[in-house]
Amino acid sequence: MRLDNMLLAEGVAGPEKGGGSAAAAAAAAASGGAGSDNSVEHSDYRAKLSQIRQIYHTELEKYEQACNEFTTHVMNLLREQSRTRPISPKEIERMVGIIHRKFSSIQMQLKQSTCEAVMILRSRFLDARRKRRNFNKQATEILNEYFYSHLSNPYPSEEAKEELAKKCGITVSQVSNWFGNKRIRYKKNIGGYPSPCYQSDRRIQ
């Protein structure tokens, strides 16, 4: 239910044809920006969200079609078997239930991966609009690139921090603080789906 509500809120699921324009508008408002640059990035966000929505519905239709086809196939097999042995309605109902539960599990995985994709997009969209007084644009891009390319374990080693500090022209301590804050913001953005790698950040809050 939580996944469904999130997909509806982001405009990915549901009958809307806007491709999540309401969610994009909310994200733009949350960032507090305005002007031509804001409009361009807002349009880019909408376009990417629309792609996620299209992929989600395409895959969902494939799963539903596959479920119906497999159910029909099993029903035909049971009818053939009924010529040689008695098959009760309860047995048919049980087989159909097994099939539907299996495909429901697959659909749940699709919903979860789609939610993760939306949250990563939303996080990037919002983070890109936050102004950093202590970092120039190039430094922020370098740090963001490292963070998202190591999303499964965004904890740079001391050697990596030193290398990042040199590239960004900041101190190692500033790099450490940036990653700590970034992990906390990202965890808040993904809401109810924190990754196990963020457990240490939860402890220090």
Side-chain angles (χ1 to χ4, degrees):
M1 182 61 72
R2 181 183 292 178
L3 292 174
D4 290 332
N5 290 339
M6 178 180 170
L7 291 173
L8 284 170
E10 293 295 334
V12 175
E16 305 88 352
K17 300 299 182 182
S21 57
S31 68
S36 60
D37 290 341
N38 182 45
S39 298
V40 170
E41 292 183 10
H42 183 190
S43 299
D44 187 49
Y45 177 87
R46 274 193 319 216
K48 287 181 170 57
L49 191 61
S50 180
Q51 290 177 355
I52 293 175
R53 175 184 169 90
Q54 183 177 358
I55 292 171
Y56 170 75
H57 282 282
T58 299
E59 292 300 312
L60 196 61
E61 288 176 3
K62 287 181 181 178
Y63 291 146
E64 290 175 350
Q65 182 179 354
C67 180
N68 292 334
E69 290 177 353
F70 192 70
T71 300
T72 301
H73 175 68
V74 171
M75 293 292 288
N76 290 335
L77 289 178
L78 290 174
R79 289 193 188 97
E80 291 181 5
Q81 291 181 13
S82 66
R83 298 174 183 174
T84 57
R85 70 177 180 88
I87 295 179
S88 66
K90 196 169 186 178
E91 182 179 354
I92 296 175
E93 182 180 350
R94 184 177 65 85
M95 291 298 297
V96 172
I98 291 173
I99 295 170
H100 286 181
R101 282 195 296 273
K102 181 63 177 178
F103 278 92
S104 293
S105 176
I106 295 174
Q107 287 184 5
M108 187 67 66
Q109 293 174 12
L110 171 64
K111 290 178 181 180
Q112 185 168 351
S113 63
T114 302
C115 285
E116 291 172 355
V118 171
M119 286 298 95
I120 290 173
L121 173 63
R122 186 176 174 84
S123 177
R124 286 179 175 173
F125 176 77
L126 293 175
D127 288 344
R129 311 176 88 82
R130 290 193 181 99
K131 295 181 179 179
R132 298 283 177 253
R133 295 180 179 177
N134 298 329
F135 302 91
N136 59 36
K137 183 178 180 180
Q138 183 180 4
T140 303
E141 288 177 350
I142 291 172
L143 295 172
N144 270 319
E145 181 180 1
Y146 185 96
F147 182 88
Y148 287 111
S149 63
H150 296 77
L151 197 57
S152 61
N153 186 33
Y155 291 85
S157 64
E158 291 303 315
E159 292 79 9
K161 289 179 184 178
E162 291 176 3
E163 184 65 25
L164 288 169
K166 290 178 182 178
K167 288 182 179 179
C168 297
I170 58 180
T171 66
V172 173
S173 177
Q174 285 178 306
V175 172
S176 297
N177 290 337
W178 186 93
F179 275 91
N181 292 331
K182 181 73 172 182
R183 289 190 295 266
I184 292 172
R185 289 196 306 273
Y186 180 78
K187 182 183 70 175
K188 288 180 179 178
N189 282 338
I190 63 176
Y193 309 97
S195 170
C197 68
Y198 298 103
Q199 295 300 319
S200 60
D201 291 315
R202 182 182 287 108
R203 287 197 295 270
I204 64 174
Q205 285 184 288

